[in-house]
Amino acid sequence: MAARSLRRLGALLPAAGKAGAASLYCRGSPCAFSTAAQQRSTGDECGPEEPSEEPKHPLSDCALEHKAIKLEEQVRDLTERYRKALADSENVRRRTQKFVEDAKLFGIQSFCRDLVEVADILEKTAESAAGHAEPSDPNPTLKKIYEGLSLLEAKLQSVFAKHGLQKMNPVGGRYDPYEHEIICHVPAEGLQPGTVALVTQDGYKLHGRTIRHALVGVAVEAQE
């Protein structure tokens, strides 16, 4: 039996030697390096990853509703401002247009004030010439002067009317402080109190605007 055990032990020793050599060869062979490279590559792939951004939480319904209300308020405010600005610009345009129109109409107002004084002198001269140029007067020169003055006065009034300048005729009408200036009071003989009885200086209007008040005498009730 001892001999048999020795034979078995002798058979196992070569096989164990071959297996150990094969193991040692694999450790020094390229397969060892290949295994190490695979492990290194696997380690790189399994390394720490960059932290990903966390998904932002969507706004809640209450926050969205509050934001919508604020936007609606801003829209209403901007709309109201736009309407006010539009109305202001329209008012400015109308005032500017009115100013331009008035400048065209009344730009000659000061000139007309001076010119009506010339018309007063011409009228008084024509009346004076009419008083001396009687039909029985044999002087034809004075008569021609009167006729010339009358034609000149008529032409001047025609030019006045063409440019919107008009003489007032307030006799018999109600007193108007915007058109008349009282210089005296006269007894109301056949006239209602408060009406214009006489005119000492003619008044004029330019396109309906008084540029010179008429100097008038107003009728009043006679005191007993």
Side-chain angles (χ1 to χ4, degrees):
M1 290 179 67
R4 190 180 298 175
S5 299
L6 289 173
R7 283 196 300 272
R8 289 180 178 177
L9 182 62
L12 292 172
L13 286 174
K18 291 180 180 179
S23 176
L24 290 173
Y25 177 76
C26 289
R27 289 178 184 177
S29 67
C31 72
F33 294 101
S34 175
T35 304
Q38 291 178 358
Q39 291 176 355
R40 189 181 301 111
S41 175
T42 305
D44 292 343
E45 292 178 357
C46 297
E49 297 181 354
E50 295 181 358
S52 60
E53 295 182 359
E54 295 182 358
K56 296 182 178 180
H57 296 287
L59 296 175
S60 63
D61 294 342
C62 182
L64 289 174
E65 184 178 358
H66 181 67
K67 189 173 182 179
I69 292 174
K70 288 183 67 176
L71 290 175
E72 289 178 358
E73 291 178 354
Q74 292 178 0
V75 169
R76 285 196 296 268
D77 183 56
L78 291 175
T79 303
E80 186 66 21
R81 290 183 181 181
Y82 170 74
R83 289 176 179 175
K84 289 182 179 180
L86 190 63
D88 291 341
S89 62
E90 181 65 18
N91 291 334
V92 170
R93 186 191 67 81
R94 290 179 180 177
R95 286 197 298 267
T96 304
Q97 184 178 1
K98 184 66 167 58
F99 177 78
V100 172
E101 292 176 355
D102 289 347
K104 291 179 179 179
L105 292 176
F106 305 106
I108 59 173
Q109 182 171 330
S110 59
F111 174 72
C112 290
R113 285 198 186 101
D114 296 335
L115 197 58
V116 294
E117 294 181 2
V118 178
D120 291 341
I121 296 173
L122 182 61
E123 183 179 1
K124 291 178 180 179
T125 304
E127 291 176 356
S128 178
H132 291 84
E134 296 179 359
S136 59
D137 193 347
N139 190 352
T141 304
L142 188 60
K143 185 177 181 180
K144 290 181 180 180
I145 291 175
Y146 168 71
E147 292 175 354
L149 290 174
S150 299
L151 292 174
L152 183 59
E153 183 183 5
K155 181 63 177 179
L156 186 61
Q157 293 297 329
S158 175
V159 173
F160 285 175
K162 180 180 178 181
H163 293 279
L165 186 61
Q166 197 172 22
K167 182 194 293 188
M168 299 181 192
N169 186 19
V171 176
R174 298 292 300 179
Y175 167 73
D176 187 350
Y178 296 101
E179 297 180 359
H180 312 142
E181 181 179 349
I182 300 175
I183 58 172
C184 64
H185 292 90
V186 296
E189 296 179 357
L191 296 173
Q192 293 182 358
T195 57
V196 177
L198 59 91
V199 178
T200 60
Q201 187 182 65
D202 293 324
Y204 282 86
K205 287 183 178 182
L206 180 62
H207 296 290
R209 178 187 293 181
T210 302
I211 64 171
R212 191 177 79 172
H213 289 71
L215 303 182
V216 299
V218 178
V220 295
E221 294 181 357
Q223 296 180 356
E224 297 180 356

